[in-house]
Amino acid sequence: MIAIHGHEGERVAVLGLGRSGLSAARSLRAGGAIPVLWDDQPAAREQAEEDGFQIRDLTRAGAFEDVTLLVTSPGIPHLYPAPNPVIAAAWAAGVPVDNDIGLFFRALGQGAWDALDTPPRVVAVTGSNGKSTTSALIHHVLERAGRPAQLAGNIGRGVLDIEAPGEAGVIVLELSSYQTELARALTPDIAVFTNLTPDHLDRHGGHGGYFAAKRRLFAEGGPDRAVIGVDENEGRFLANQLSTAPSDDRVIRVSSGAKLSGPGWQVFARKGFLSEWRKGRQVGAIDLRTIRGLPGAHNHQNACAAYAACRALGLGPRQIQSGFESYAGLPHRSQIVAECGGVTFVNDSKATNVDSALKALLAFDRIRWICGGLQKEGGLAGLAPGLAHVSKAYVIGREAAGFALGLSGVEAEICTDMATAVARAVAEAEPGETVLLAPAAASFDQYDNFEKRGEDFVENVHAALG
């Protein structure tokens, strides 16, 4: 745990008692602050009281009279679509609002780590898609190379639950727009921007607000190096804003599919080959086609971003390649869960929208596709470029019949439940095919979350294969 100093003897309010809220409360208490906690859920308040924390109803008048700071959980809206009443009350009282990410970066600047021969470094990864895989891949490569590393933030542990970093330690953070939007301190050594596609638009007041939340990590953080995916206009704009000249190698441009050129620092993947160019010449290359844990162009983009971050940390190309080759993938994200009779079974339950499902479809050639669930706005037309890869679709979910109607030109069987879909796909799959769970829909019609859906797929695959 990282103790938060600077608030000794002060009352600091904490709103929202999920993982990040309770972690922040413990860190504040360890640093000498007096946390006062609130959550709308009685069960969460009761648990906090059992842990010895003081509960205060932050919705009542005068709740902020003796409070010097409010720490809020990332899921609580503070501006759009409307400010949470507690946050609005803190504004009215002139009480600063922060989150656990802001506390972490402030603590890092106040620690004794600058006395180390090799101070710890922080790599922060944000973007719409791929940030979990990119963060986990950086962490895995570092560990394989013998570098002490910890993974936290929006993945793994809460950022304040990690151990205080030691000599030459690296902290890899996955940061969502909810986290970067509010943090009062953002000072990573290396910042990574994977890509941008529409998401959380109601929370950020539109696409521009969403990009602005991501951009804060770079514009306000002032990283020593920035790794920027430039396959969208927002990435190209950001890279240009951060560069002072064409040869400025503080910015590493990354692409999946486009050959990048110029005197600066570029990492790109084309036709399955990763290339690193610097000062107009190639200095590294990896054949990604043989790396099973990173299938498809979207994972090749993740690989380029992770490669660039690791190179900025001083690792060599062969060290990074070795880490890539041993990377097994994250659960529920293009995860190979079984192989039998020439058929590969892949769990991509995290593909909860059309964009991510399309990337999964494009990663494999002959697919027995398990899809369906709670369909999101916008329909299924965006899947069209990947449907040529589908031998047959097996549709699950309470709205399976309606979902199947949106799959124009694809043979679709309405299965409704996972057990039926897996059984049918196993029975009909031929050698060389992939049975792929990539739902293109939310899970809440049948499961608590996408993890439970993925676990059900894995269990049924193992049961069907015996």
Side-chain angles (χ1 to χ4, degrees):
M1 180 178 65
I2 293 178
I4 302 300
H5 296 285
H7 299 281
E8 287 80 356
E10 299 177 0
R11 281 182 171 78
V12 177
V14 178
L15 176 63
L17 302 180
R19 183 186 70 172
S20 67
L22 286 174
S23 174
R26 288 190 293 266
S27 294
L28 287 160
R29 182 168 62 183
I34 305 169
V36 292
L37 280 55
W38 181 251
D39 193 291
D40 290 339
Q41 300 300 318
R45 299 197 298 267
E46 291 171 9
Q47 182 60 56
E49 282 188 304
E50 291 178 9
D51 291 343
F53 288 109
Q54 177 185 343
I55 301 299
R56 176 183 293 191
D57 185 353
L58 298 177
T59 65
R60 65 172 175 80
F64 285 96
E65 287 180 357
D66 59 349
V67 169
T68 61
L69 177 71
L70 172 64
V71 178
T72 182
S73 295
I76 298 173
H78 61 273
L79 189 56
Y80 302 112
N84 181 279
V86 172
I87 292 177
W91 293 349
V95 173
V97 181
D98 205 349
N99 61 17
D100 62 328
I101 302 301
L103 293 181
F104 163 78
F105 278 112
R106 279 201 290 144
L108 203 63
Q110 297 167 354
W113 300 298
D114 56 356
L116 298 172
D117 290 336
T118 307
R121 306 184 75 186
V122 178
V123 180
V125 181
T126 195
S128 297
N129 298 309
K131 57 185 179 290
S132 294
T133 295
T134 300
S135 301
L137 186 55
I138 294 169
H139 178 254
H140 175 79
V141 171
L142 289 169
E143 287 199 321
R144 288 283 298 184
R147 294 281 294 273
Q150 299 183 76
L151 180 64
N154 205 43
I155 186 175
R157 290 181 290 173
V159 66
L160 296 175
D161 285 334
I162 67 173
E163 300 300 321
E167 189 75 31
V170 180
I171 301 164
V172 184
L173 300 181
E174 179 198 335
L175 299 181
S176 72
S177 57
Y178 291 6
Q179 293 168 311
T180 59
E181 183 179 43
L182 187 61
R184 296 174 73 89
L186 285 168
T187 54
D189 298 281
I190 299 168
V192 180
F193 176 87
T194 58
N195 50 55
L196 197 81
T197 57
D199 205 359
H200 309 305
L201 300 189
D202 58 337
R203 170 66 183 263
H204 298 296
H207 195 71
Y210 177 50
F211 175 54
K214 301 286 191 186
R215 184 176 177 270
R216 287 192 74 241
L217 183 63
F218 303 84
E220 300 190 25
D224 295 334
R225 280 245 159 73
V227 177
I228 309 293
V230 294
D231 288 333
E232 295 90 26
N233 281 331
E234 290 84 358
R236 289 188 279 271
F237 169 84
L238 183 58
N240 183 269
Q241 288 276 297
L242 296 173
S243 299
T244 59
S247 59
D248 187 351
D249 66 1
R250 294 174 303 168
V251 176
I252 309 175
R253 290 170 171 81
V254 167
S255 176
S256 175
K259 181 179 180 179
L260 304 179
S261 60
W265 198 347
Q266 299 99 16
V267 179
F268 57 89
R270 294 186 72 202
K271 299 180 180 180
F273 288 89
L274 180 152
S275 298
E276 177 191 5
W277 286 69
R278 196 169 184 182
K279 297 180 180 179
R281 64 186 185 88
Q282 187 169 354
V283 295
I286 298 176
D287 184 353
L288 298 174
R289 299 173 303 171
T290 61
I291 298 175
R292 306 204 61 203
L294 296 167
H298 62 302
N299 274 313
H300 293 175
Q301 183 185 56
N302 300 334
C304 288
Y307 178 97
C310 290
R311 289 288 280 144
L313 287 167
L315 272 64
R318 298 287 73 81
Q319 287 177 295
I320 300 171
Q321 180 174 344
S322 177
F324 282 6
E325 289 171 345
S326 60
Y327 179 70
L330 283 174
H332 317 297
R333 297 167 174 85
S334 298
Q335 176 194 19
I336 297 174
V337 298
E339 294 177 280
C340 183
V343 178
T344 303
F345 296 82
V346 176
N347 169 22
D348 203 341
S349 184
K350 184 64 167 65
T352 59
N353 57 42
V354 166
D355 182 68
S356 54
L358 174 61
K359 288 180 171 64
L361 292 177
L362 293 174
F364 306 97
D365 290 328
R366 296 164 53 207
I367 300 169
R368 299 280 171 174
W369 179 31
I370 299 177
C371 57
L374 194 60
Q375 191 172 332
K376 296 185 177 181
E377 293 183 7
L380 303 177
L383 293 167
L387 297 183
H389 294 217
V390 177
S391 302
K392 183 177 177 180
Y394 305 82
V395 188
I396 63 173
R398 295 177 185 172
E399 303 171 356
F403 194 98
L405 288 174
L407 302 177
S408 178
V410 173
E411 180 185 357
E413 180 175 340
I414 298 170
C415 299
T416 307
D417 61 86
M418 185 69 74
T420 302
V422 170
R424 294 293 298 144
V426 169
E428 297 181 351
E430 300 176 356
E433 292 187 327
T434 298
V435 175
L436 170 69
L437 170 65
S443 60
F444 304 122
D445 59 334
Q446 292 181 309
Y447 302 93
D448 291 339
N449 49 53
F450 73 84
E451 291 95 341
K452 293 294 184 184
R453 177 171 59 191
E455 290 165 5
D456 193 24
F457 170 74
V458 174
E459 290 173 4
N460 277 282
V461 167
H462 289 160
L465 298 180

